Amino acid sequence: MSTHSSGTTETGTDTSDVPLFVASLGVRWRDLDAFNHVNNSSYLTYLEEARLQWLSHVPGPWFDEHAMPVMAASQVNYRRPIAWPAQLQVQLFCERMGNSSMTIAHRVIDAERPDQLYCDGHVVMVWMDPASGKPVPLPEAIRSTAG
């Protein structure tokens, strides 16, 4: 995990806090499109992988049969194409915490050139009861880790 400050993204999102988590990922050949750069859908896969890696490090239960996270919204601002080969860092930040939801800001940068921003944005995760489909309070493990 990284412990350095990142500043403000081009969209004005404040990411000066220490990241929740930093995932190191390599660009795979299969991530490329016909223009020989990473396909836009692969960015979402990188972000999903980073969130799952973060959640796997959360101490304590973050889901059970009555509370599971679902994606409510996502915003990805594509700043520059990613070419192969590349090593990436996906930085996650807690942008907002509500009663049942959490907004996770993200930045994808070049691992060897941290000033090279490939994308930024955020996702909104809502914890819900899968049986009822209704929102439930955020698990304490998420609150204490991200708060």
Side-chain angles (χ1 to χ4, degrees):
M1 281 195 247
S2 175
T3 58
H4 68 279
S5 295
S6 304
T8 302
T9 66
E10 293 173 280
T11 59
T13 302
D14 182 17
T15 59
S16 59
D17 295 333
V18 174
L20 285 174
F21 188 79
V22 176
S24 296
L25 303 173
V27 173
R28 305 167 300 183
W29 181 258
R30 65 181 269 180
D31 297 340
L32 304 181
D33 62 16
F35 299 107
N36 209 30
H37 57 69
V38 172
N39 184 280
N40 65 306
S41 64
S42 294
Y43 285 67
L44 295 170
T45 301
Y46 299 155
L47 298 171
E48 177 186 51
E49 176 64 25
R51 286 190 309 273
L52 289 170
Q53 284 185 24
W54 169 62
L55 286 168
S56 74
H57 286 87
V58 170
W62 52 270
F63 78 98
D64 61 29
E65 64 275 3
H66 301 291
M68 297 191 176
V70 295
M71 178 81 63
S74 65
Q75 177 184 359
V76 179
N77 304 305
Y78 300 98
R79 302 298 181 187
R80 107 179 346 113
I82 303 172
W84 180 88
Q87 285 297 115
L88 308 174
Q89 283 191 347
V90 181
Q91 302 172 336
L92 303 179
F93 302 86
C94 179
E95 188 174 284
R96 181 188 169 280
M97 206 171 328
N99 293 325
S100 60
S101 67
M102 177 181 183
T103 303
I104 303 171
H106 55 251
R107 293 170 33 99
V108 177
I109 62 171
D110 191 288
E112 296 177 16
R113 293 180 312 215
D115 61 325
Q116 188 88 287
L117 176 65
Y118 293 120
C119 83
D120 59 8
H122 62 263
V123 299
V124 177
M125 303 293 296
V126 176
W127 268 256
M128 60 169 266
D129 182 328
S132 69
K134 304 282 186 198
V136 297
L138 283 173
E140 186 52 41
I142 295 296
R143 284 199 180 283
S144 61
T145 301

